[in-house]
């Protein structure tokens, strides 16, 4: 079998942990499998590099950020390869460029356009274990190094698994699978044996960082057998992320996600004329800002209030964009003490009363809901950040997810 393995930041967080990863890889190789391992930067490394840049600038050039941030995973890939070589295993590290990962020009959130698997195939045929530096590629046009967005090593692994038609893509992290909610918040959370791509995609997009959302999207598209498991307990079976039809039992609610990385932008007393929303949201989209929840409330005198949420990381850019609408509104403000809690489940499609149960659960804890949005398989609510963990536990209880 050809296996693509991915080891996240904590799994390669120290020199000892890298040795532990080498042991996992050696065992899989000894069992007769071919291995491509994708690695993250050592934990905390990417944040440290971002802080270094922020020492000089609040809005550093994205091109330079990619040069800087891509270095973290290169360090780990070389170290792991050196460790394996020393123990008599043929291994070779590859940067994103060497692995043939080509992206568009959106520096710091580049999209993978194509993967040229020639180098990887040759190295495998020569008996090598390949260690790929995750989270990075090279732009098709400028031939410059690019990165894939935070948590992007998951995407590297899934994209390679899809392109090279690996038998499985195993994402090794510090928990042994996908739980009904973050087990660090709710110790009663239960591990799922399987979860559908769609539910996992929602959970990941709504804040469960155990898998990066774009990697799940790609896994679904390319039909990759995706497994989430732990490098700390590699003997324990993880969670399989698979097609909905492969899952027999479909609970109404499968999981709860929490996102603390959103901020709320409020525009008050906006002149209520046709085209105003389009103008604002087009400007934000042009600045590559991902607007999430939007509510418009009717005010008096032909004026309206507009509230929406954006990722915290886009705050500075958003302020710049919004400055051009100063004249359009009486006031624009930003609230960064909010968070988003969401419940996700494919079973919601065919059940009623799911939403009211969530609202009651929060009401019982005296938690005020600011914004609500729903889709076929999810309900999201914006609340005060200080109630985040309480809300997650209350919802987990309300749907009996520990049972
Ligand atoms: P890595 O560094 O390996 O990429 P991450 O820190 O990105 O790991 O993701 C793993 C973390 O995701 C876990 O430590 C856990 O706290 C968190 N997490 C959030 N939601 C879930 C969930 N539903 N199931 C499991 N882990 C979750
Ligand atoms: N090192 C990058 C990050 O911290 C990518 C990754 O770990 O997946 O976001
Ligand atoms: Mg991660």
């Amino acid at each position: 079998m050809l296996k693509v393995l991915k080891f996240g930041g904590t799994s390669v967080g120290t020199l000892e942990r890298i040795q532990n990863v080498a042991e996992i890889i050696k065992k899989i190789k000894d069992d007769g499998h071919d291995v491509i391992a994708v690695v993250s930067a050592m934990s905390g490394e990417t944040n440290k590099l971002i802080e270094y840049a922020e020492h000089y600038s609040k809005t550093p050039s994205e091109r330079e950020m990619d040069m800087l941030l891509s270095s973290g995973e290169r360090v780990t890939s070389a170290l792991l390869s050196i460790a394996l070589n020393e123990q008599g295993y043929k291994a070779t590290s590859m940067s994103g460029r060497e692995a043939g990962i080509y992206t568009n020009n959106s520096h710091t959130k580049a999209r993978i356009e194509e993967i040229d698997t020639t180098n990887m195939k040759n190295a495998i045929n020569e008996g090598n274990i390949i260690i790929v530096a995750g989270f990075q590629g090279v732009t098709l046009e400028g031939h410059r190094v690019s990165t894939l967005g935070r948590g992007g090593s998951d995407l590297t692994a899934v994209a390679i698994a899809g392109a090279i038609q690996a038998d499985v893509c195993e994402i090794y992290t510090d928990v042994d699978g996908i739980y009904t909610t973050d087990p660090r918040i709710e110790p009663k959370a239960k591990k799922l044996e399987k979860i559908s791509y769609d539910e996992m995609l929602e959970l990941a997009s709504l804040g469960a960082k155990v898998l990066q959302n774009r990697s799940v999207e790609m896994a679904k598209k390319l039909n990759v057998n995706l497994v989430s498991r732990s490098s700390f307990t590699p003997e324990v079976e993880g969670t399989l992320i698979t097609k909905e039809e492969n899952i027999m039992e479909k609970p109404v609610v499968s999981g709860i996600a929490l996102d603390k990385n959103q901020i709320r932008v409020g525009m008050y007393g906006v002149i209520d004329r046709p085209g105003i929303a389009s103008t604002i949201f087009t400007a934000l989209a042009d600045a590559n800002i991902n607007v999430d929840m939007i509510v418009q409330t009717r005010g008096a005198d032909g004026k309206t209030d507009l509230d929406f949420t954006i990722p915290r990381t886009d705050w500075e850019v958003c302020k710049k964009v919004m400055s051009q609408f100063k004249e359009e509104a009486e006031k624009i403000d930003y609230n960064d003490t909010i968070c988003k809690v969401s419940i996700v489940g494919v079973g919601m499609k065919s059940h009623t009363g799911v939403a009211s149960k969530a609202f009651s659960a929060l009401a019982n804890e005296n938690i005020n809901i600011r914004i609500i949005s729903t889709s076929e398989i999810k309900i999201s609510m914006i609340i005060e950040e200080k109630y985040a963990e309480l809300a997650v536990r209350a919802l987990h209880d309300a749907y009996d997810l520990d049972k």
Side-chain angles (χ1 to χ4, degrees):
M1 280 213 270
L2 171 56
K3 294 189 170 199
V4 174
L5 319 174
K6 179 260 170 175
F7 298 93
T10 331
S11 301
V12 294
T14 62
L15 300 182
E16 290 71 33
R17 295 298 313 159
I18 292 177
Q19 181 55 45
N20 174 67
V21 166
E23 299 303 325
I24 296 175
I25 294 175
K26 277 159 58 182
K27 182 159 184 311
I28 294 173
K29 185 73 181 169
D30 290 346
D31 285 343
H33 304 299
D34 287 324
V35 175
I36 299 176
V38 174
V39 289
S40 285
M42 295 166 85
S43 60
E45 201 56 33
T46 308
N47 287 342
K48 192 179 85 187
L49 294 171
I50 291 173
E51 273 170 32
Y52 284 173
E54 284 174 349
H55 179 77
Y56 302 106
S57 166
K58 264 187 164 176
T59 50
S61 140
E62 290 174 333
R63 237 286 304 157
E64 298 307 334
M65 285 311 282
D66 278 353
M67 187 68 175
L68 180 66
L69 298 190
S70 59
S71 67
E73 343 300 278
R74 295 176 68 133
V75 170
T76 333
S77 63
L79 289 175
L80 180 54
S81 186
I82 291 169
L84 284 163
N85 285 332
E86 183 61 22
Q87 290 159 65
Y89 285 74
K90 233 176 132 182
T92 181
S93 63
M94 290 188 184
S95 66
R97 179 195 299 264
E98 288 167 296
I101 299 173
Y102 292 96
T103 74
N104 66 5
N105 283 334
S106 298
H107 284 287
T108 74
K109 32 187 155 180
R111 296 193 77 86
I112 297 177
E113 299 282 353
E114 62 183 66
I115 298 186
D116 177 355
T117 55
T118 316
N119 272 350
M120 285 191 286
K121 279 186 179 146
N122 289 341
I124 290 276
N125 289 339
E126 287 161 14
N128 282 291
I129 295 166
I130 304 177
I131 315 291
V132 180
F135 173 57
Q136 58 186 278
V138 56
T139 60
L140 268 171
E141 277 172 26
H143 295 279
R144 315 211 65 160
V145 65
S146 54
T147 64
L148 309 176
R150 296 308 302 269
S153 297
D154 294 343
L155 180 61
T156 303
V158 171
I160 289 177
I164 209 158
Q165 296 187 317
D167 297 281
V168 66
C169 178
E170 298 185 330
I171 309 286
Y172 285 81
T173 180
D174 53 7
V175 279
D176 59 5
I178 310 298
Y179 280 70
T180 46
T181 193
D182 189 339
R184 285 178 213 285
I185 298 176
E186 173 53 283
K188 286 189 287 180
K190 285 195 87 170
K191 190 167 111 185
L192 304 166
E193 190 196 330
K194 293 178 182 176
I195 185 169
S196 68
Y197 289 122
D198 289 332
E199 286 171 309
M200 191 63 236
L201 180 56
E202 286 290 353
L203 284 176
S205 307
L206 294 167
K209 67 166 187 166
V210 60
L211 287 175
Q212 190 228 29
N213 59 348
R214 283 166 58 197
S215 73
V216 183
E217 196 175 26
M218 173 94 61
K220 182 185 176 188
K221 197 169 104 192
L222 303 179
N223 228 329
V224 172
N225 278 317
L226 188 61
V227 176
S228 160
R229 60 193 305 167
S230 168
S231 69
F232 291 76
T233 52
E235 67 288 352
V236 175
E237 295 250 342
T239 300
L240 176 69
I241 297 98
T242 184
K243 287 184 192 161
E244 198 180 318
E245 59 253 40
N246 296 338
I247 300 173
M248 300 292 279
E249 225 182 303
K250 294 190 184 70
V252 179
V253 171
S254 296
I256 317 276
L258 172 65
D259 185 353
K260 288 185 167 180
N261 286 315
Q262 298 262 317
I263 62 166
R264 184 177 62 81
V265 185
M267 286 184 85
Y268 305 94
V270 185
I271 299 154
D272 198 4
R273 60 168 173 81
I276 180 76
S278 147
T279 316
I280 294 167
F281 294 114
T282 305
L284 291 166
D286 288 345
N288 237 325
I289 297 175
N290 224 329
V291 175
D292 184 29
M293 295 164 89
I294 305 175
V295 273
Q296 184 176 353
T297 35
R298 236 309 236 287
D301 308 330
K303 300 222 168 132
T304 171
D305 293 343
L306 201 56
D307 268 26
F308 55 91
T309 62
I310 57 161
R312 192 181 293 270
T313 42
D314 289 336
W315 195 354
E316 287 301 323
V317 186
C318 181
K319 275 190 198 159
K320 267 192 199 154
V321 174
M322 295 308 287
S323 65
Q324 61 184 290
F325 300 114
K326 263 203 247 128
E327 307 299 317
E328 302 273 3
E330 281 161 13
K331 191 175 104 185
I332 300 177
D333 72 8
Y334 300 87
N335 181 343
D336 71 336
T337 58
I338 53 120
C339 69
K340 179 168 67 177
V341 278
S342 309
I343 58 181
V344 171
V346 283
M348 266 184 222
K349 288 184 210 170
S350 49
H351 280 76
T352 55
V354 183
S356 59
K357 193 176 252 184
F359 306 151
S360 310
L362 297 192
N364 287 341
E365 299 292 345
N366 252 320
I367 300 172
N368 201 10
I369 307 172
R370 300 283 193 74
I371 307 179
I372 300 169
S373 81
T374 64
S375 80
E376 240 192 347
I377 66 166
K378 72 124 201 268
I379 301 164
S380 293
M381 293 158 287
I382 296 289
I383 61 169
E384 277 295 312
E385 189 176 16
K386 63 180 177 202
Y387 298 123
E389 286 78 15
L390 177 62
V392 168
R393 289 192 286 263
L395 293 167
H396 199 267
D397 253 11
Y399 295 101
D400 287 329
L401 294 183
D402 54 334
K403 302 279 151 61

